Amino acid sequence: MNTTNTPKEIDDSVIDFCKSIAPYSIPEYVQLRPESWCIQNDCYDNVKQKVEDCGGKRQLGWRIQVVPDPYPKYMIEAVHHAIWISETGEKIDITPQPDSANRIVFVSDDSTKIGKHRIGEKYHALLNCPIVNEYVRLCNLESVQYVSKTNLIQKYNTPLVLLKEQQKLLIQIYEKHGRN
């Protein structure tokens, strides 16, 4: 089972979530054409090398994913990401993705800068359910308290108690809303 999924359409829930992250940008589909030499989860360096080799430019922003696939789609997630823009203006995601999608939903964001720490993900509930809301709250807490305070080259260390609580809620979400 995939745990992430490109939204099938850019509907109001996707647009509203993107506005909360990058208020002046419009989410769009960007073709996924991974380069054979690119490393998964290394988009910044992949795009930097592509610009050096072929010209064009790097665009920072957020890759938008619906979690999970298959149903229930209970949460939407934004992962900080970089894409390559060719000299002709074509936007392409050259970094391999874990799923088999041929495109991603991307929203540009020039306000978030790459520094020495990781940039944490952002989460939003798609179901109006107390269990889902609490799970999303804990995911955002993990992102702010642990992911975003970790150096880029280090793996973040989330406390086991938080991971156990997330897992407990995830089981409750599946029990209440089904796996498919």
Side-chain angles (χ1 to χ4, degrees):
M1 173 174 79
N2 276 338
T3 57
T4 60
N5 187 28
T6 300
K8 302 222 183 314
E9 63 179 303
I10 299 175
D11 60 13
D12 288 342
S13 64
V14 172
I15 293 168
D16 291 344
F17 179 56
C18 290
K19 282 183 181 180
S20 74
I21 298 167
Y24 303 107
S25 296
I26 298 171
E28 61 186 310
Y29 287 109
V30 171
Q31 288 302 304
L32 176 60
R33 289 197 298 238
E35 298 278 351
S36 60
W37 53 267
C38 287
I39 299 170
Q40 189 172 334
N41 297 323
D42 199 10
C43 60
Y44 307 137
D45 288 339
N46 292 338
V47 174
K48 179 182 176 189
Q49 186 63 51
K50 182 73 172 180
V51 170
E52 289 174 8
D53 293 348
C54 301
K57 66 179 186 174
R58 176 180 74 178
Q59 176 63 59
L60 296 176
W62 301 87
R63 185 178 75 238
I64 307 301
Q65 304 172 140
V66 178
V67 182
D69 185 27
Y71 298 103
K73 293 189 183 332
Y74 59 88
M75 179 171 75
I76 192 167
E77 171 187 38
V79 178
H80 200 260
H81 196 57
I83 62 169
W84 177 64
I85 301 178
S86 73
E87 290 183 344
T88 62
E90 184 179 15
K91 296 176 181 179
I92 302 169
D93 185 2
I94 63 168
T95 301
Q97 299 300 320
D99 58 15
S100 60
N102 60 2
R103 64 184 182 173
I104 64 166
V105 172
F106 183 80
V107 62
S108 298
D109 179 11
D110 294 320
S111 68
T112 303
K113 304 296 182 203
I114 301 171
K116 68 177 187 173
H117 293 100
R118 293 175 179 255
I119 298 171
E121 292 84 4
K122 298 177 184 292
Y123 301 92
H124 179 74
L126 290 174
L127 297 177
N128 186 13
C129 168
I131 300 167
V132 172
N133 290 335
E134 179 61 8
Y135 180 75
V136 167
R137 186 188 74 76
L138 292 178
C139 288
N140 281 315
L141 175 70
E142 176 186 13
S143 184
V144 170
Q145 292 295 316
Y146 302 102
V147 176
S148 65
K149 293 181 179 174
T150 305
N151 287 335
L152 283 172
I153 59 171
Q154 294 177 325
K155 182 169 174 39
Y156 58 91
N157 189 16
T158 304
L160 191 55
V161 67
L162 177 57
L163 294 174
K164 284 183 177 182
E165 184 62 23
Q166 287 172 321
Q167 186 62 34
K168 184 176 97 177
L169 290 166
L170 192 56
I171 290 168
Q172 291 175 12
I173 290 168
Y174 285 138
E175 287 173 351
K176 182 171 182 165
H177 298 287
R179 279 204 135 135
N180 50 16

